[in-house]
Amino acid sequence: MKIEKNVLIMSLFPNKITKLFDETFNTFKSYEQENAEKFIESLSDKIEAIAVMGGTAVSSELIKKLPKLKIIANYGVGYDAVDVKQATLSNVKVTNTPDVLNDEVADTAIALSLCVYKNIALANQFLLEKKWLKSEYPLSKKFSGTKFGILGMGRIGKTIAKRIESFNCEICYHSRNQKDVKYKYFSKLEDLAEYVDTLCVITPGGEETKHLVNANVLQKLGKNGFLINIARGTVIDQKALIYALQNNIIRGAGLDVFENEPNVPDDLINLNNVILTPHIGSATVETRYDMGKLVYDNIVQMLTTNTTLSPVN
Ligand code: NAP
């Protein structure tokens, strides 16, 4: 099926999805250009749809420059890099990719939790460096049966909780509103942090959640507490976190996201009580395909029927 519409692709998608876009639309790939801004400007009176990865900014300036734009289809459930306010003012639909990545991101949360409790990364290094020939690896901390706190009991938060149930953990959570779930609700984040052994952060990013986890919350989590962040780097005060990890204010952290990606401060890298991953929460072939397909389907639907499958605004 060929649809004679012009689609700007701002980030790298899985090959199969890129092929699908190329076969269906007239595509323009700004991520391949040395000067993306100039490239987009040269197409400003053509572009009707944008396909873009979660982390790539779609600013109000950019939206204003594209008078024919109808849809910004965000490849990711978190759309904090898109200026949704301006999109709405400009009558542009924004879509995201909810649900299709719940399992993947929840799996990543579990992997980070187990890795940080059981020191998997350091244990691996210990063996590779042949240190096992001389001594046993130090004992780690048991995860099963601990108190697990979730900050953000949304789609992914609930999927994480389901998995955590099988570890016989007590599951608790904080969101702005109490949810219809069987887990213990804390109306104050500080109280949740004080109660639990692990605080797992899975809220949206953006201004509203900026530095929700601050020095005070980390202090409450305490010297036996672990922090897991698979939400956005901005939700945590990274400076305060580094200080807390360096000074045993908390015991360890598993982090998939950072404040100024892809830059990760040496102060974090040099710690031995962290496990750090490069924003791979949803990054498997299968899930990225499903996410890409939803981006594609949203654009097809918008440009042919003026409706969308997973609207944000
Ligand atoms: P969701 O269903 O909208 O859930 C978000 C939850 O956060 C809701 O329960 C919401 O509940 C809560 N929340 C929002 N603002 C809050 C605040 N200020 N204080 C406390 N709780 C707050 O979203 P989702 O699909 O689960 O995705 C969550 C986020 O995960 C995404 O936005 C994205 O940033 C992140 N993510 C990361 C990766 C990765 O690769 N690491 C992958 C996918 C998603 P209330 O409204 O009741 O507060």
Side-chain angles (χ1 to χ4, degrees):
M1 167 181 64
K2 185 78 187 171
I3 302 170
E4 288 298 335
K5 300 277 183 185
N6 301 316
V7 176
L8 174 67
I9 303 181
M10 291 182 70
S11 341
L12 185 64
F13 279 75
N15 285 343
K16 276 189 192 169
I17 299 296
T18 306
K19 196 164 168 265
L20 210 49
F21 271 119
D22 287 341
E23 285 167 358
T24 313
F25 299 106
N26 306 320
T27 54
F28 302 90
K29 302 183 179 90
S30 59
Y31 65 90
E32 286 178 344
Q33 306 297 318
E34 221 162 271
N35 190 335
E37 208 176 314
K38 214 170 156 194
F39 177 74
I40 296 172
E41 256 167 41
S42 72
L43 300 163
S44 62
D45 58 344
K46 275 192 177 162
I47 298 303
E48 288 149 287
I50 289 179
V52 64
M53 180 134 192
T56 307
V58 183
S59 63
S60 65
E61 290 73 32
L62 176 61
I63 297 169
K64 283 186 205 160
K65 274 183 199 161
L66 305 175
K68 289 197 175 148
L69 187 64
K70 286 193 167 149
I71 176 169
I72 300 165
N74 187 67
Y75 177 48
V77 68
Y79 50 85
D80 42 306
V82 178
D83 194 321
V84 179
K85 214 170 162 189
Q86 182 58 49
T88 307
L89 284 172
S90 301
N91 208 17
V92 173
K93 273 278 164 205
V94 179
T95 60
N96 66 345
T97 60
D99 293 319
V100 292
L101 42 54
N102 292 352
D103 283 340
E104 204 62 70
V105 183
D107 289 353
T108 307
I110 303 299
L112 288 176
S113 303
L114 291 175
C115 273
V116 77
Y117 265 78
K118 299 179 79 66
N119 286 333
I120 299 289
L122 286 180
N124 177 243
Q125 208 175 318
F126 182 86
L127 185 149
L128 297 182
E129 289 170 359
K130 300 204 182 291
K131 290 183 178 164
W132 194 16
L133 298 172
K134 292 183 195 134
S135 63
E136 289 293 322
Y137 189 73
L139 301 183
S140 61
K141 176 147 176 61
K142 183 175 177 179
F143 176 68
S144 284
T146 53
K147 293 182 193 143
F148 193 92
I150 298 175
L151 168 54
M153 187 53 83
R155 290 170 293 239
I156 302 171
K158 285 177 192 151
T159 314
I160 294 170
K162 230 189 254 170
R163 283 156 171 69
I164 293 294
E165 280 181 28
S166 67
F167 290 94
N168 295 322
C169 291
E170 183 186 348
I171 301 167
C172 317
Y173 73 100
H174 167 74
S175 289
R176 289 165 302 184
N177 310 294
Q178 189 164 1
K179 311 290 175 196
D180 185 19
V181 291
K182 60 186 170 187
Y183 314 120
K184 191 177 169 111
Y185 177 64
F186 286 80
S187 59
K188 285 198 179 128
L189 173 57
E190 286 78 6
D191 294 344
L192 174 72
E194 191 163 27
Y195 186 73
V196 297
D197 301 297
T198 311
L199 181 64
C200 177
V201 183
I202 186 65
T203 61
E207 274 310 308
E208 271 194 42
T209 54
K210 187 160 185 216
H211 291 187
L212 214 52
V213 177
N214 54 24
N216 184 37
V217 172
L218 295 167
Q219 191 82 46
K220 297 275 183 190
L221 187 56
K223 63 181 179 359
N224 286 317
F226 290 91
L227 181 80
I228 305 296
N229 187 12
I230 46 160
R232 285 288 183 267
T234 50
V235 187
I236 290 173
D237 179 343
Q238 193 164 278
K239 264 194 192 149
L241 173 61
I242 292 171
Y243 182 84
L245 286 162
Q246 286 171 333
N247 294 283
N248 300 320
I249 291 169
I250 66 168
R251 182 160 173 165
L255 309 172
D256 184 47
V257 286
F258 305 88
E259 263 190 335
N260 180 28
E261 295 174 8
N263 301 293
V264 178
D266 286 343
D267 282 347
L268 259 183
I269 290 173
N270 293 335
L271 289 165
N272 65 7
N273 51 350
V274 294
I275 171 114
L276 311 174
T277 50
H279 203 146
I280 56 161
S282 66
T284 62
V285 171
E286 295 82 355
T287 296
R288 284 291 170 83
Y289 175 81
D290 292 345
M291 292 161 62
K293 183 66 172 44
L294 185 50
V295 169
Y296 170 84
D297 289 342
N298 266 307
I299 292 180
V300 169
Q301 187 133 334
M302 186 66 199
L303 296 185
T304 54
T305 68
N306 222 25
T307 60
T308 57
L309 296 164
S310 44
V312 161
N313 61 348

